Amino acid sequence: LTSAGDITVTGSLEARGGSGGSSHPSTGNYSGAPGGGGAGGSIALYSSGLVDVAGGTLDAGGGPGGIPLGWVGAGGAGGGGYIRLESASGAVAGIPAATLLPDYSTGTYDPESLEGDPPTVFTGAWFDLGAMEPEILPFGPEHFVEQGVPGCSIDYEIQMCGASPLDGGLPDTAALDPGTGDSTDPDRASPWVPLRSTAGGIQDPRPALNGRGWRFFRIRITFTLKGGLRAGDGLPFVEEVRIPFRVQGG
């Protein structure tokens, strides 16, 4: 788990190995030897802020060996996995009050972006404009509250759709590709429409969106970092996007 913010664990994270197969009771003393337990996996938490595991359990232990019958021995336990915890300062809070199995190490999380790294894409939830014929209005700089970083880009897109024929209070997501989110039926949902980009400025989405009877919208934001950027240098982020619209007669 990698986070640009803090990571707090108060529940359980498990990457345990599976249990080994046991001897079968129907064969009695002539049972085959039970299997060994599976090896534990790994748990890695990387935070550009703080990591706090007080009260939490992180378990990457090996699985138990199978249970024997008759004259065979028990299966061996699986080997233990590994836990790695990294924060911006290198310190991890709450370790004395946590359960960390079988072993762990800590370190400083200070990643560096590389040229050609894939962008980070955030797709927002659907929002209901609450009207049958909402009209999107022109966008201006005041509708985007963000922190830009020279050499990095922030690109915005908007998508709209109608109400579900099964439940009018929900968006018609059946008209979207489940993998990409692209529209599979232009009469039921729009494609992703450019809204604003670092390179091209504010776009006008109204010709592609208005007059179609769509009432639900969502925003997709793509962050592309320049090479050599570290968290301490400041990262681009979006604090707020405002959608100007009006309903019929208002």
Side-chain angles (χ1 to χ4, degrees):
L1 175 65
T2 302
S3 173
D6 300 339
I7 297 176
T8 301
V9 181
T10 57
S12 297
L13 297 176
E14 295 186 355
R16 291 185 53 82
S19 300
S22 298
S23 300
H24 197 279
S26 65
T27 55
N29 291 338
Y30 302 98
S31 296
S42 60
I43 298 174
L45 305 182
Y46 303 118
S47 169
S48 294
L50 306 174
V51 174
D52 188 345
V53 294
T57 297
L58 284 71
D59 189 349
I67 300 172
L69 285 174
W71 299 311
V72 297
Y82 197 68
I83 298 171
R84 178 69 174 178
L85 307 173
E86 295 186 6
S87 69
S89 67
V92 176
I95 287 180
T99 300
L100 305 175
L101 300 172
D103 197 5
Y104 71 93
S105 67
T106 62
T108 300
Y109 183 62
D110 187 23
E112 179 181 349
S113 62
L114 303 174
E115 292 291 346
D117 279 349
T120 297
V121 180
F122 166 80
T123 301
W126 287 100
F127 291 89
D128 187 355
L129 293 177
M132 295 303 295
E133 293 286 344
E135 178 185 3
I136 301 297
L137 300 177
F139 282 81
E142 69 277 10
H143 295 113
F144 304 91
V145 183
E146 64 177 33
Q147 173 179 287
V149 173
C152 302
S153 64
I154 307 176
D155 300 321
Y156 301 79
E157 298 166 286
I158 185 172
Q159 184 179 50
M160 295 189 71
C161 73
S164 167
L166 301 178
D167 185 342
L170 297 176
D172 190 4
T173 55
L176 303 176
D177 183 286
T180 64
D182 294 335
S183 172
T184 58
D185 185 343
D187 292 327
R188 298 168 64 185
S190 79
W192 286 104
V193 179
L195 187 57
R196 182 183 184 276
S197 67
T198 299
I202 297 174
Q203 312 295 313
D204 187 357
R206 293 177 296 168
L209 301 178
N210 287 345
R212 305 298 300 273
W214 293 323
R215 80 181 218 196
F216 294 88
F217 79 91
R218 63 177 178 171
I219 298 293
R220 184 165 71 182
I221 306 174
T222 301
F223 299 87
T224 304
L225 303 183
K226 66 179 181 180
L229 190 67
R230 295 182 180 274
D233 299 327
L235 297 173
F237 69 87
V238 173
E239 181 176 329
E240 185 177 283
V241 182
R242 303 172 186 170
I243 307 298
F245 74 100
R246 65 184 175 192
V247 299
Q248 288 183 345

